Amino acid sequence: MQRRLRSRTTRTRLGPWYPHLEGSPLIAALDVQYENNSAVAACVLFDDWAAAAPVGTKVTAVSGIEPYRPGALYRRELPCLLAVLNALSAE
């Protein structure tokens, strides 16, 4: 399924850090580390599924994290993921 969707992906608003990739397909691997009510969200960018190395990275600190609740991804994880993606597109 990911390979089917790859042809439908486009990247926009990544700013001056990645001008050579503007408009090309992009894969973003995301992860979040939590400690108490704060977190660090990371994003690693690849231009191809078989890429040997990333084309970019971004790490963002997030505060005011909600406690873990099973089934409530939108309360804890989603704000962190959106924060790192927004920081990436703001560069």
Side-chain angles (χ1 to χ4, degrees):
M1 176 179 232
Q2 290 177 335
R3 289 192 176 144
R4 269 196 347 251
L5 294 174
R6 176 175 62 179
S7 65
R8 298 172 57 189
T9 61
T10 57
R11 197 192 79 246
T12 59
R13 300 180 348 176
L14 282 183
W17 291 100
Y18 311 107
H20 61 289
L21 296 173
E22 196 60 44
S24 64
L26 192 66
I27 301 152
L30 301 161
D31 196 14
V32 182
Q33 176 189 347
Y34 303 95
E35 188 168 328
N36 299 320
N37 69 339
S38 63
V40 176
C43 178
V44 181
L45 300 171
F46 300 92
D47 60 357
D48 188 81
W49 292 107
V55 294
T57 60
K58 185 67 179 177
V59 177
T60 302
V62 184
S63 59
I65 302 303
E66 295 220 15
Y68 174 76
R69 292 184 193 151
L73 174 93
Y74 68 96
R75 291 186 176 270
R76 183 172 169 95
E77 288 84 359
L78 188 57
C80 299
L81 299 174
L82 292 175
V84 73
L85 290 174
N86 287 333
L88 185 67
S89 64
E91 289 185 339

